[in-house]
Amino acid sequence: MTQSIDVFFTSGCGRCGHFDTPQCKVHNWRECLLFLRDIVLSVGLEEQVKWGFPCYTLDNKNVVMLGALKDYCNIAFFKGALLENSHGLLIKAGENSQSAMQIRFTHIDQIAHAEGAIRDYIKQAVAVEKSVIKVAFPQKEALVFPQELLTAFASHQELEKAFHALTPGRQRGYILFFTGAKQSATRVSRIQKVTQDILKGKGMHD
């Protein structure tokens, strides 16, 4: 994956085989992404690259991230659930998302029109990060561990210990990955595939 912000804007995120080719999704939205980047940087956040995408942090804590997909680009707020959606632009980042919210764009004019609102959301996000407020995860207790994972725990105590040491978000990500398989054999295979990552304290997308 891309580790340089300059490489991201010239060649892409490096997460797929289209890296540094005309088919890379980043090329489709470069102008929009650069506009969003200027807005975010004007607020004073630190720019990094995480998971191949531009990520903006405050005291090394993730606040905002830019993304490029086939049909749109976006600006995502890691603790968007805590923001006041007074402009009505924030939507859930994904079906299973409990914290992140995003704004999607398909044209640079949309960004220009919403620039004031975007700045407001970013400032809210910075204020939230500086506060002691935390996102409540109501579904945390509702996690259902598949039997295949419980069986793996029974034979590998270090795996069980490492899994429970993960953050709630990382645990949830793995559970969704495992239970997304319909066949038991596939669930077992998925658990085996990521066992070493879990032991290293890594999440699905680390």
Side-chain angles (χ1 to χ4, degrees):
M1 289 184 288
T2 299
Q3 300 297 322
S4 163
I5 194 68
D6 292 329
V7 172
F8 173 81
F9 284 108
T10 58
S11 303
C13 66
R15 294 175 64 92
C16 73
H18 295 312
F19 178 70
D20 203 21
T21 70
Q23 290 73 41
C24 176
K25 300 178 183 67
V26 173
H27 298 321
N28 297 335
W29 308 108
R30 183 184 288 114
E31 187 178 14
C32 292
L33 291 167
L34 287 170
F35 192 174
L36 289 170
R37 179 196 190 197
D38 287 342
I39 295 174
V40 177
L41 289 177
S42 71
V43 179
L45 294 176
E46 181 181 352
E47 184 175 58
Q48 302 180 33
V49 176
K50 295 188 178 183
W51 307 286
F53 290 96
C55 184
Y56 301 87
T57 64
L58 179 70
D59 297 330
N60 291 319
K61 296 179 180 178
N62 300 330
V63 179
V64 175
M65 176 172 279
L66 304 184
L69 288 87
K70 179 181 178 181
D71 298 321
Y72 59 87
C73 65
N74 64 40
I75 178 170
F77 300 84
F78 285 87
K79 295 182 180 178
L82 296 178
L83 306 185
E84 182 179 347
N85 195 11
S86 55
H87 306 284
L89 300 178
L90 296 174
I91 61 174
K92 291 185 67 172
E95 180 181 352
N96 297 301
S97 175
Q98 297 184 66
S99 178
M101 301 284 280
Q102 64 178 230
I103 309 173
R104 298 176 180 178
F105 302 99
T106 57
H107 196 280
I108 195 168
D109 288 347
Q110 295 173 325
I111 301 174
H113 181 72
E115 182 174 353
I118 296 170
R119 290 181 184 278
D120 178 52
Y121 285 129
I122 297 172
K123 290 177 181 178
Q124 283 191 55
V126 170
V128 164
E129 198 57 58
K130 289 180 177 179
S131 73
V132 296
I133 304 173
K134 294 185 178 181
V135 178
F137 293 95
Q139 297 181 33
K140 177 183 176 182
E141 301 301 328
L143 285 180
V144 178
F145 286 45
Q147 182 59 50
E148 292 80 5
L149 182 59
L150 296 176
T151 299
F153 286 165
S155 61
H156 197 325
Q157 293 185 351
E158 287 302 312
L159 175 62
E160 181 176 14
K161 180 179 179 181
F163 188 88
H164 288 295
L166 295 173
T167 63
R170 288 190 173 98
Q171 289 185 31
R172 181 172 178 77
Y174 279 122
I175 295 297
L176 291 172
F177 176 58
F178 300 150
T179 58
K182 296 181 180 179
Q183 301 295 324
S184 177
T186 305
R187 291 193 287 273
V188 170
S189 176
R190 289 187 176 186
I191 292 168
Q192 293 173 343
K193 180 180 178 180
V194 299
T195 290
Q196 290 304 313
D197 287 335
I198 295 174
L199 292 173
K200 294 176 182 177
K202 294 182 177 181
M204 284 288 298
H205 305 292
D206 293 342

